[in-house]
Amino acid sequence: MTFSEALQWRYATKRMNGQTVPQEKIDKILEAIQMAPTSSGLQPFEVIVISNPALKAQLKDEAAKQPQIVESSHVLVFAAWDAYTEERINAFFEFNNEVRDIPASQTDDYRKSLIKTFTSKTNEENFHHAAKQAGIALGFGLVAAALEEVDTTPMEGFDPAKVDEILGLKEKGLKSTLILSVGYRDAKNDWLEGMKKVRKPKEELFTVID
């Protein structure tokens, strides 16, 4: 499929058939998530990749019992940093400088600027900022899946505190923010399959200023 065709083909799948997505396709989806842009390149989140049936069943109970959770091949839980800390920012720049083979002096001013900016904000403000970055990455994964003809369901309808507890995220300084179920549609039982997409007309969605 072309990029445009993939966007037309995909939809928020309501029922999945339990079929396992080949690992090479999962790897491509994860690579797209890894390569997504984030503010200052910090990638302030982690993604927990779950195929364990028992764990998926636990997550379903805390996600309004949405069947896609257990019918999926994999469930990706996007967990954002609970705060931007000096330690986290320093660790990023240490890694950045090593990969790019540049001296710390070349990035010190920017590093200090980020530390000053983020540590002046509340943890809640920091978390919301990090959660937005995770949302961008989820979008990349969603489109990559469509290009592989793999179905997905992005979800916010879950109890973050309970999901955090199940996955032990608090101890890692993380908070769950989004879930992406990945699998294959159950066309016979999915009421949304085959329905026309409903989107605002371009003239209502876009304001063009020349």
Side-chain angles (χ1 to χ4, degrees):
M1 288 190 291
T2 65
F3 184 78
S4 181
E5 288 170 341
L7 295 182
Q8 291 292 335
W9 174 84
R10 68 146 303 276
Y11 70 105
T13 308
K14 302 304 180 186
R15 297 299 301 268
M16 294 184 176
N17 64 15
Q19 183 181 344
T20 299
V21 176
Q23 188 59 47
E24 58 266 26
K25 290 181 179 286
I26 294 296
D27 289 342
K28 288 180 180 179
I29 295 167
L30 298 181
E31 181 182 22
I33 292 168
Q34 178 189 21
M35 298 305 294
T38 58
S39 179
S40 298
L42 292 173
Q43 292 182 292
F45 58 87
E46 294 182 20
V47 182
I48 295 82
V49 183
I50 302 165
S51 58
N52 180 277
L55 190 52
K56 287 195 290 185
Q58 284 186 272
L59 294 176
K60 178 189 174 184
D61 288 341
E62 307 306 337
K65 298 191 181 299
Q66 295 177 80
Q68 309 96 307
I69 297 281
V70 293
E71 295 170 351
S72 67
S73 170
H74 292 70
V75 172
L76 310 185
V77 178
F78 289 72
W81 288 358
D82 57 4
Y84 288 85
T85 64
E86 184 172 350
E87 291 76 16
R88 280 172 159 164
I89 294 171
N90 284 339
F92 165 77
F93 276 94
E94 182 178 344
F95 178 60
N96 174 81
N97 297 344
E98 179 183 351
V99 170
R100 292 180 168 173
D101 193 24
I102 56 178
S105 58
Q106 190 169 325
T107 58
D108 266 354
D109 287 346
Y110 188 44
R111 176 183 61 82
K112 291 174 182 177
S113 173
L114 287 180
I115 290 172
K116 182 178 179 181
T117 297
F118 283 115
T119 56
S120 68
K121 299 180 183 296
T122 65
N123 285 351
E124 183 177 4
E125 289 173 321
N126 278 336
F127 168 68
H128 285 309
H129 184 273
K132 289 178 182 179
Q133 313 313 305
I136 295 171
L138 180 142
F140 270 59
L142 185 150
V143 173
L147 288 167
E148 293 296 320
E149 297 188 55
V150 173
D151 290 295
T152 54
T153 312
M155 302 177 180
E156 286 187 290
F158 61 92
D159 185 331
K162 293 291 181 61
V163 170
D164 293 354
E165 183 179 351
I166 291 170
L167 299 178
L169 298 181
K170 184 177 180 180
E171 293 78 8
K172 298 180 180 180
L174 299 168
K175 292 182 178 181
S176 56
T177 180
L178 295 162
I179 289 177
L180 186 66
S181 289
V182 180
Y184 293 107
R185 66 188 67 176
D186 180 355
K188 291 183 179 180
N189 294 304
D190 190 340
W191 63 269
L192 193 55
E193 200 276 336
M195 285 196 175
K196 290 184 177 180
K197 282 189 178 294
V198 180
R199 297 292 188 271
K200 286 183 178 180
K202 291 178 181 178
E203 59 271 20
E204 291 184 19
L205 184 60
F206 302 111
T207 297
V208 180
I209 303 174
D210 293 323

